[in-house]
Amino acid sequence: MTAIAQGRTRRRAALVSAMCALAVTGLGLTGCGSEDPDAGTNGVGKLTADKIQAKAQAAAAAVDAVRLSGTVVAGGKSYKLDMSLKSDGATGSVTADGTAFHLLRVDEELFLKADAAFWKHEDGKGDDAGSDTAAAGKLDDKYVKVPTGDPSYKKFSGFTDKDLLLDSVLTLHGSLDKDGHHEQAGVRTIRITGDGGSGGTLDVSLEGKPYPLRLVRAGGAGTLAFSAWGKDFTLEEPAKGETVDYGKELPTS
């Protein structure tokens, strides 16, 4: 065989190998000879779907911090979340009905920061309308301490509770099955489904710890991405000059 022919053969082999790698990684295929999609992984992809879900839940529960972003549909309303969570608090943003606000929880102290439009009563009339506008101006872009007895405290603190959020979203519904190998943000994953996808889908990392990386919730109830597993971040109460202690039930928003 001539040197030219040998060169062509090597190039053809390299091209076939590259195409096989793309097929396995991007499309969840297991062909191309003896290619093993679980080679060099943490081995979770070889387990049953039920065991994969259990491994992912255990990994999530064992770590101290995570970033959660995406959408959650609850009570007929869609919330866009971008929260950094850990056991003693959280910080991040929530958007609902086109209005964004910032949440910060340090231990049991919960603070909410938003612009004046968020605080202004939609149904204010007469003198009440004027007082609403004045109150909204004072609260504009300030961290407002949410009283623990306020109805808003339970509602908003739920967005800052790592264990509560993860427990509520990391369980697929119905019979579980595997849906091939995939990739999320450059990380190889194994995907599991509930009832063929109608009960939700979960991508679990095949690299390092088997952390959940992407969740599509059942019934069109939102899609969430998980990142920064175990990466600590600082939580501090805002400075006094940036804080308003409303001292009573917050105004309706």
Side-chain angles (χ1 to χ4, degrees), residues 52-66 85-88 161-171 202 204 209-213 226 229-230:
I52 293 171
Q53 177 175 260
K55 287 276 188 181
Q57 291 171 334
V63 77
D64 290 331
V66 63
L85 308 156
K86 57 183 181 178
S87 57
D88 59 348
D161 190 320
K162 170 183 172 287
D163 293 335
L164 178 65
L165 275 175
L166 295 185
D167 287 346
S168 66
V169 301
L170 288 182
T171 299
L202 180 66
V204 178
K209 299 288 186 180
Y211 293 128
L213 295 185
F226 307 89
W229 287 103

Side-chain angles (χ1 to χ4, degrees), residues 90-91 102-106 109-111 143 235-238:
T91 183
H102 186 87
L103 289 175
L104 170 64
R105 182 172 65 82
V106 182
E109 300 294 343
L110 178 65
F111 301 89
Y143 280 100
L235 282 174
E236 293 181 350
E237 291 190 16

Side-chain angles (χ1 to χ4, degrees), residues 107-214:
D107 294 322
E108 298 303 315
E109 300 294 343
L110 178 65
F111 301 89
L112 188 155
K113 183 169 73 169
D115 60 19
F118 175 89
W119 295 109
K120 187 176 181 181
H121 288 201
E122 295 294 338
D123 57 350
K125 297 179 181 179
D127 293 336
D128 288 339
S131 62
D132 291 341
T133 300
K138 292 178 181 179
L139 302 178
D140 181 33
D141 208 30
K142 294 283 189 180
Y143 280 100
V144 178
K145 186 176 180 180
V146 183
T148 55
D150 189 288
S152 299
Y153 184 90
K154 183 177 181 180
K155 178 180 179 180
F156 289 137
S157 63
F159 291 124
T160 69
D161 190 320
K162 170 183 172 287
D163 293 335
L164 178 65
L165 275 175
L166 295 185
D167 287 346
S168 66
V169 301
L170 288 182
T171 299
L172 302 180
H173 302 285
S175 59
L176 302 185
D177 203 353
K178 294 194 289 188
D179 187 29
H181 293 70
H182 298 266
E183 183 177 305
Q184 297 297 330
V187 178
R188 288 180 292 172
T189 66
I190 182 71
R191 181 172 296 169
I192 58 175
T193 66
D195 279 345
S198 62
T201 69
L202 180 66
D203 277 58
V204 178
S205 177
L206 288 175
E207 301 177 18
K209 299 288 186 180
Y211 293 128
L213 295 185
R214 183 175 183 268

